[in-house]
Amino acid sequence: MTATPPAGPIIALDVMSGESGVAEAVAAADIAAERYPRLSFLLFGQEAAIAPELARHPRLAGRARIINSDDVVSMRDKPSQVLRRASTTSMGMAIDAVKQGEAHAAVSAGNTGALMAIALFALRTMKGIDRPALAAILPTLKSESVMLDLGANTECDATNLVQFAVMGAAFARTVLGLERPRLGLLNIGEEELKGTEELRTAATILKSAQLPMDFVGFVEGDKIGTGDVDVVVTDGFSGNIALKTAEGTSRLVTGLLGNAFRASIWGKLGYFIARSALQSLRNHLDPNAHNGAVFLGLNGLVVKSHGSANARGLANAIGVAHDLVRDDVGRRISADLAGIRMGPTIGDSTTEPNAA
Amino acid sequence: MTATPPAGPIIALDVMSGESGVAEAVAAADIAAERYPRLSFLLFGQEAAIAPELARHPRLAGRARIINSDDVVSMRDKPSQVLRRASTTSMGMAIDAVKQGEAHAAVSAGNTGALMAIALFALRTMKGIDRPALAAILPTLKSESVMLDLGANTECDATNLVQFAVMGAAFARTVLGLERPRLGLLNIGEEELKGTEELRTAATILKSAQLPMDFVGFVEGDKIGTGDVDVVVTDGFSGNIALKTAEGTSRLVTGLLGNAFRASIWGKLGYFIARSALQSLRNHLDPNAHNGAVFLGLNGLVVKSHGSANARGLANAIGVAHDLVRDDVGRRISADLAGIRMGPTIGDSTTEPNAA
């Protein structure tokens, strides 16, 4: 730990809050360190548990520093409880490192509500953004797409939705590497008159916005998985329902598929012969492959990993953090907000866009 | 057509509005007539097109009467346009037959918005129900479940949600044959504090309600497909998003599966060997197998078939109508409303329950 760390992005990694344990979390840092040679880490958690794991990964020598924290946020802790303990938990300390400028992004596999509450309280929303949103990467028939908000805001107005669109498009440009992502607003029909007043107002604003994206209008839930749009924007209630429904349906179909293969000797034999071909399906649907949801719109980057992600999955979430730091996604969002003209009915002084 | 029709339920079948054509619709009536020997039909549509098809099905002789209607509601017609033409379209005339007591239920594969508008205008809501809801049967890992509302009401209050619960439970008892269906409210978390005020109020009312069902509390979107609950209650916006997302994800996974089988010779061979085992998966996910959404809460039964359902699918929708007539689901709903105690904050004189 005496070597000078590389001058690249510094990740504040919450080692303790996930469900997969310290060994997997440190192994994730090692995988990410191999992928990104300039990356270094601050590892937050119980030093006595982390140190022996760290010693197993020589690549991390000089690139990872442990910062001891004995307190851990559990999956059952309420956001109000964890806010009081923010300064003593691995999660709270990792986010504080971003606030203090000691790290460029925080990554945690912990309790989403707690992470959201601590991040919002410590980092506050960016100028021009009223509410942060949780964005994630989903598999599609063609490749991947981005959806937001996935549950940070139960109810949203048109201004929120427009801001989510700006943030989601910037996220897709960074993480999916698209120049002009195609963006749709989730609705219960594609016609202009469908849905709520908030959705119709947001669509009107987005239609006239000057942004590096193509607004395709309203999309229905069955378009989330087709790959016809790159960004799906919705309120946190519908977004969470859609995300969980997609996860549940994916498990339903693969579960029925497993039953079908097991039901007869021909099914078992067919599965045995096709098993390596079927591996590509499993890889494409593996949550670890698309890991790394992001709280967008804060003064600092916070990436949420699946609670049960393995080392490779958590390394993918660290990769998302790396890309967002590299592309300075916060600056992109600020610049893009200047391309939006809010109507007088919904804009007020606090929601006026301002170029960075 | 001189024979006396059987004294069982009479179905008003809109033969023209679906996408699969007159031949499939008449064949559907024939399949249903075989399954339910006491069933008879009024067939609404162009007599010149229907008569030759009807002649192909001797089983329907004396059990199906054509009522000519030259006008057809198209999939692109707006609800406001079709209301004016209700008395001349096959869809409007089929619903009017229910209103006039000439048929026990109407079945149509046409435009959902138009069907909803005509049905609501002609039949009005039941006493004790503020708004009708669209309910459908979905496949689960174990068997089938019911979800409502699927898009009839974009925004719902607690009273609406409670009424949907009463109607959904009655529907599940009839169509799924369950004595005490397990019922959940769709939300973004299972904890009591999650979600909107409307959801929390509805949960409080349902917890104390005396109803032939088990209220399990809040469920998340991933529970829709597991079969852990039999009825999922939600507002029409979230319900439509969830339904479409489930359909899209099902297509995504089966599409990826097809790609995996086609990607290599081993995949193709494995598929060939397992193909009859895989048929059970296809059957379980086939929309025709779960066809027949219902507008619940009206003074009359209206069943909506998938627009592209084949004869077997449309026959299943007719079967749903048959079961609802047989079990007199409207009376069940009226009786169950008496078991609900609305809080003073949300109940008013028009929403007071009244036993039938």
Side-chain angles (χ1 to χ4, degrees), chain B residues 40-91:
Chain B
S40 63
F41 293 91
L42 301 177
L43 304 177
F44 290 85
Q46 287 164 335
E47 181 152 22
I50 299 172
E53 294 301 328
L54 191 53
R56 292 177 206 272
H57 299 283
R59 195 188 347 255
L60 290 173
R63 293 176 63 184
R65 185 157 62 90
I66 301 169
I67 301 181
N68 186 62
S69 130
D70 285 322
D71 196 5
V72 180
V73 172
S74 87
M75 287 295 176
R76 264 163 303 281
D77 281 337
K78 295 228 166 68
S80 55
Q81 299 168 327
V82 298
L83 271 181
R84 286 194 296 272
R85 288 154 51 211
S87 62
T88 61
T89 53
S90 56
M91 185 187 283

Side-chain angles (χ1 to χ4, degrees), chain A residues 141 220 222 238 244 252, chain B residues 141 220 222 237-238 244 252:
Chain A
L141 201 48
E220 295 188 67
D222 55 356
S238 302
K244 296 279 174 67
L252 166 65
Chain B
L141 200 50
E220 296 188 66
D222 54 356
F237 191 89
S238 302
K244 296 280 174 68
L252 166 65

Side-chain angles (χ1 to χ4, degrees), chain A residues 142-181:
Chain A
K142 289 165 190 167
S143 63
E144 294 182 316
S145 68
V146 165
M147 185 158 74
L148 75 169
D149 173 32
L150 298 177
N153 308 282
T154 305
E155 286 163 285
C156 296
D157 63 20
T159 305
N160 298 140
L161 293 169
V162 170
Q163 293 171 358
F164 296 173
V166 170
M167 298 194 292
F171 183 57
R173 277 149 58 211
T174 295
V175 175
L176 305 183
L178 301 166
E179 239 173 85
R180 288 185 70 85

Side-chain angles (χ1 to χ4, degrees), chain A residues 14-312:
Chain A
D14 170 10
V15 176
M16 308 305 290
S17 307
E19 294 162 10
S20 303
V22 171
E24 287 288 303
V26 176
D30 185 59
I31 294 169
E34 181 178 16
R35 286 186 197 158
Y36 308 102
R38 296 177 62 239
L39 209 60
S40 64
F41 293 91
L42 300 177
L43 304 178
F44 291 85
Q46 288 164 335
E47 182 153 22
I50 300 172
E53 294 302 327
L54 191 54
R56 290 177 208 270
H57 298 283
R59 197 190 342 259
L60 289 172
R63 293 176 64 183
R65 186 158 60 92
I66 302 169
I67 300 181
N68 186 64
S69 130
D70 285 323
D71 196 6
V72 181
V73 172
S74 88
M75 287 295 176
R76 264 163 303 282
D77 281 337
K78 295 226 166 68
S80 55
Q81 299 168 327
V82 298
L83 271 182
R84 287 195 295 273
R85 288 155 50 212
S87 61
T88 61
T89 53
S90 56
M91 185 186 282
M93 289 172 71
I95 290 170
D96 192 59
V98 174
K99 184 182 181 185
Q100 305 302 335
E102 293 158 9
H104 296 93
V107 177
S108 174
N111 181 331
T112 310
L115 190 63
M116 179 73 202
I118 296 176
L120 180 57
F121 189 79
L123 300 173
R124 308 281 165 178
T125 51
M126 291 172 55
K127 224 169 159 180
I129 296 291
D130 296 318
R131 293 197 203 165
L134 184 62
I137 305 162
L138 304 176
T140 72
L141 201 48
K142 289 165 190 167
S143 63
E144 294 182 316
S145 68
V146 165
M147 185 158 74
L148 75 169
D149 173 32
L150 298 177
N153 308 282
T154 305
E155 286 163 285
C156 296
D157 63 20
T159 305
N160 298 140
L161 293 169
V162 170
Q163 293 171 358
F164 296 173
V166 170
M167 298 194 292
F171 183 57
R173 277 149 58 211
T174 295
V175 175
L176 305 183
L178 301 166
E179 239 173 85
R180 288 185 70 85
R182 294 156 303 168
L183 182 145
L185 276 173
L186 191 63
N187 201 345
I188 59 174
E190 296 188 356
E191 305 83 3
E192 288 193 8
L193 291 170
K194 287 280 181 177
T196 60
E197 182 64 35
E198 288 76 25
L199 279 166
R200 290 192 294 270
T201 306
T204 305
I205 297 170
L206 287 172
K207 240 179 274 173
S208 67
Q210 298 293 319
L211 288 170
M213 65 169 188
D214 292 319
F215 177 59
V216 304
F218 294 139
V219 294
E220 295 188 67
D222 55 356
K223 283 288 167 65
I224 295 171
T226 58
D228 292 332
V229 288
D230 306 303
V231 184
V232 176
V233 173
T234 181
D235 66 272
F237 192 89
S238 302
N240 187 281
I241 297 288
L243 177 73
K244 296 279 174 67
T245 301
E247 289 174 358
T249 307
S250 178
R251 276 199 293 272
L252 166 65
V253 178
T254 51
L256 292 171
L257 180 63
N259 292 348
F261 279 128
R262 278 187 295 271
S264 74
I265 183 71
W266 297 110
K268 285 177 190 159
L269 182 62
Y271 173 75
F272 183 76
I273 290 168
R275 71 194 183 286
S276 71
L278 292 168
Q279 190 59 45
S280 74
L281 170 69
R282 202 171 294 128
N283 293 346
H284 197 86
L285 295 175
D286 180 3
N288 285 304
H290 315 277
N291 194 23
V294 180
F295 288 118
L296 292 171
L298 299 175
N299 295 305
L301 287 168
V302 178
V303 173
K304 162 80 175 92
S305 162
H306 284 287
S308 57
N310 60 17
R312 192 173 55 82

